[in-house]
Amino acid sequence: MERWNDRVAVVTGASSGIGAAIAKDLAKAGMVTIGLARRVERVQNLRKDLPEDAAKRLHAVKCDVSIEAEVDAVFKSIEENFGGCDVLVNNAGIMRPANLLDVGNTSDIKAVLETNVTGLVLCSQRAYQSMVKRSVDGHIVHISSIAGHILPSFPKINIYPATKHAVRAITETMRQEMRDAGKKIKVTSVSPGAVLTEIFEGWDLPADMQMLQPEDISQAVLYTLSTPPRVQVHEIIIKPVGEIY
């Protein structure tokens, strides 16, 4: 991770769970870390969990990644105040419980698509252009899901698996576009199994369900960022031991 010291990382959905763990670990690893979230005060509170030097490197910025104007404003501000984006971690994601074939949940379907797919692409576009503009061989990481590889026998997950299958296709499309453009910017997809985060609040989960911790996913992100320039970690799948999917 030494080559990323004092470079700028942007983490979306940094207010809790996986995003919060990644934001804290990147700041501890020496990166200037911009945590984007709608609940910006929760990102600010993460500083309490960090050593003083790392806390100074963590910055909280309010942003809803599904709103293009907010994404534009944030990346412009990052360029003006921090020089630009060297690493992007697309973590922001939501899941709205309902059956896909139920009538009347159109607003939920749109919200999930706009955050999990459109927001990921919007942030990637801005980060990529920032890297190209400054001739930086940066890295874009998408936090996807095992649901992008198989369809878990889990009730009421609606359009969520489809958005994560989309992330797999988007990751490969971006890799090919970067290659064709002659850029050495990397793109990686990290697909966790079940992780104990707020996304499962209100769900009636089996008592014996095996779960990962947010820190497990953060460690995978640190690993892929620490690989040498010649290494392209395209995809990582992480499952808790004993997971049924």
Side-chain angles (χ1 to χ4, degrees):
M1 288 293 294
E2 289 80 7
R3 71 190 182 96
W4 297 113
N5 280 345
D6 297 322
R7 305 305 289 266
V8 177
V10 177
V11 182
T12 71
S15 61
S16 65
I18 295 171
I22 293 170
K24 289 190 292 185
D25 281 348
L26 291 179
K28 287 190 287 187
M31 296 198 73
V32 176
T33 305
I34 316 298
L36 306 185
R38 290 174 296 179
R39 301 172 296 181
V40 69
E41 68 284 350
R42 298 185 64 170
V43 182
Q44 294 168 341
N45 288 336
L46 298 178
R47 297 191 186 108
K48 300 174 183 178
D49 302 328
L50 296 172
E52 184 177 355
D53 60 336
K56 292 178 180 178
R57 288 191 290 269
L58 178 59
H59 304 269
V61 177
K62 185 176 179 60
C63 182
D64 183 338
V65 299
S66 70
I67 301 174
E68 187 167 8
E70 291 193 15
V71 173
D72 280 335
V74 163
F75 276 88
K76 181 180 180 182
S77 174
I78 290 170
E79 182 175 358
E80 292 173 347
N81 295 302
F82 300 97
C85 174
D86 302 307
V87 168
L88 169 67
V89 182
N90 279 310
N91 168 75
I94 60 174
M95 180 166 56
R96 299 284 175 83
N99 287 322
L100 186 61
L101 295 179
D102 289 345
V103 175
N105 62 358
T106 304
S107 61
D108 286 340
I109 290 173
K110 288 181 177 180
V112 175
L113 285 167
E114 288 169 357
T115 297
N116 296 10
V117 179
T118 304
L120 177 143
V121 173
L122 292 175
C123 291
S124 296
Q125 289 172 339
R126 277 63 176 177
Y128 175 74
Q129 294 301 326
S130 176
M131 296 169 193
V132 170
K133 181 180 179 180
R134 297 173 295 117
S135 299
V136 170
D137 293 336
H139 203 138
I140 297 174
V141 180
H142 305 316
I143 304 301
S144 186
S145 170
I146 191 65
H149 299 260
I150 61 172
L151 187 59
S153 55
F154 205 76
K156 295 184 179 298
I157 50 178
N158 203 314
I159 202 72
Y160 182 83
T163 67
K164 296 306 182 179
H165 277 270
V167 170
R168 289 185 67 196
I170 289 167
T171 302
E172 176 60 12
T173 300
M174 288 182 178
R175 186 189 70 83
Q176 292 186 19
E177 288 188 4
M178 292 171 184
R179 178 200 63 201
D180 293 345
K183 305 303 178 184
K184 295 183 178 180
I185 298 168
K186 300 181 186 181
V187 58
T188 301
S189 175
V190 179
S191 295
V195 183
L196 188 60
T197 69
E198 292 180 1
I199 202 168
F200 286 115
E201 280 188 355
W203 291 71
D204 186 18
L205 301 176
D208 60 347
M209 184 173 177
Q210 303 301 309
M211 305 283 276
L212 295 163
Q213 295 295 322
E215 292 73 21
D216 301 327
I217 315 308
S218 181
Q219 288 303 305
V221 173
L222 291 181
Y223 159 71
T224 192
L225 290 176
S226 69
T227 56
R230 66 180 181 275
V231 175
Q232 170 76 59
V233 179
H234 185 63
E235 190 161 44
I236 300 176
I237 299 175
I238 311 171
K239 298 182 181 183
V241 173
E243 182 172 84
I244 63 174
Y245 306 124

